Amino acid sequence: MDYETLVASVTGLLLGEPDIIANAANFAAFVYHELPELNWAGFYFPNAAGDLVLGPFNGRPACTRLPRGRGVCGAAFTQRRTLVVDDVHAFGDHIVCDSASASEIVVPLERNGEVFGVFDVDSPRVARFSDADRHGIERLVTAFVGAVGTSAVPRPV
Ligand code: SME
């Protein structure tokens, strides 16, 4: 996968748009359509209680709320690090939103030392995400966070 080109493309796609919801929507659509073998790509943002609430995504309708610290998303958010799960059925605390999902990567969104959400990508293939994919998807997310600039981040209820 040519992540170098994808990072350049997505940076151009988001350029000049300060609205985070608009950019999150286009970013999710971009990733979903540009990377092969995905069944879901999208965002979760924390509310005041620390639960993760569904944001813009592409794929089938998903769980709207993930309880604080739960699931792969909650673990990545709490631990402030990317998590790659090769086989979601072997991950004890995985939360099933789409039964087609077999592997998953979750990247925290970090700005000014604060984690303000996660970007979650699911695949129907076991072990879909290699180290190169992890690095590439982290670079794509860095481009997204860079485009957020100084605009307010979502604070769902
Ligand atoms: N599987 C995730 C829940 C979100 S869906 O995959 C869209 C998790 O365990 O956190």
Side-chain angles (χ1 to χ4, degrees):
M1 203 66 216
D2 182 2
Y3 281 103
E4 190 79 37
T5 299
L6 291 180
V7 168
S9 300
V10 85
T11 300
L13 178 67
L14 307 180
L15 190 69
E17 174 51 67
D19 189 282
I20 189 174
I21 299 296
N23 274 347
N26 264 344
F27 184 84
F30 179 90
V31 169
Y32 184 80
H33 289 283
E34 292 297 331
L35 300 188
E37 296 184 286
L38 304 186
N39 60 300
W40 204 85
F43 292 87
Y44 282 91
F45 296 105
N47 64 10
D51 301 328
L52 291 173
V53 182
L54 184 63
F57 70 94
N58 268 221
R60 292 192 185 280
C63 313
T64 56
R65 282 163 197 270
L66 310 174
R68 180 190 181 98
R70 299 296 307 278
V72 186
C73 290
F77 182 79
T78 305
Q79 295 171 25
R80 306 170 74 101
R81 65 187 179 101
T82 299
L83 290 182
V84 176
V85 177
D86 284 342
D87 179 358
V88 296
H89 302 296
F91 186 91
D93 197 34
H94 173 251
I95 297 172
V96 178
C97 292
D98 182 343
S99 59
S101 300
S103 60
E104 180 165 11
I105 177 170
V106 182
V107 182
L109 313 175
E110 189 165 348
R111 184 180 72 165
N112 301 332
E114 180 201 12
V115 179
F116 65 93
V118 297
F119 183 64
D120 177 20
V121 186
D122 289 11
S123 169
R125 177 161 73 80
V126 169
R128 159 69 181 80
F129 303 104
S130 65
D131 282 347
D133 292 305
R134 172 209 184 99
H135 184 60
I137 292 168
E138 285 180 337
R139 288 182 61 202
L140 290 168
V141 168
T142 298
F144 169 76
V145 173
V148 170
T150 56
S151 74
V153 298
R155 302 283 180 206
V157 292

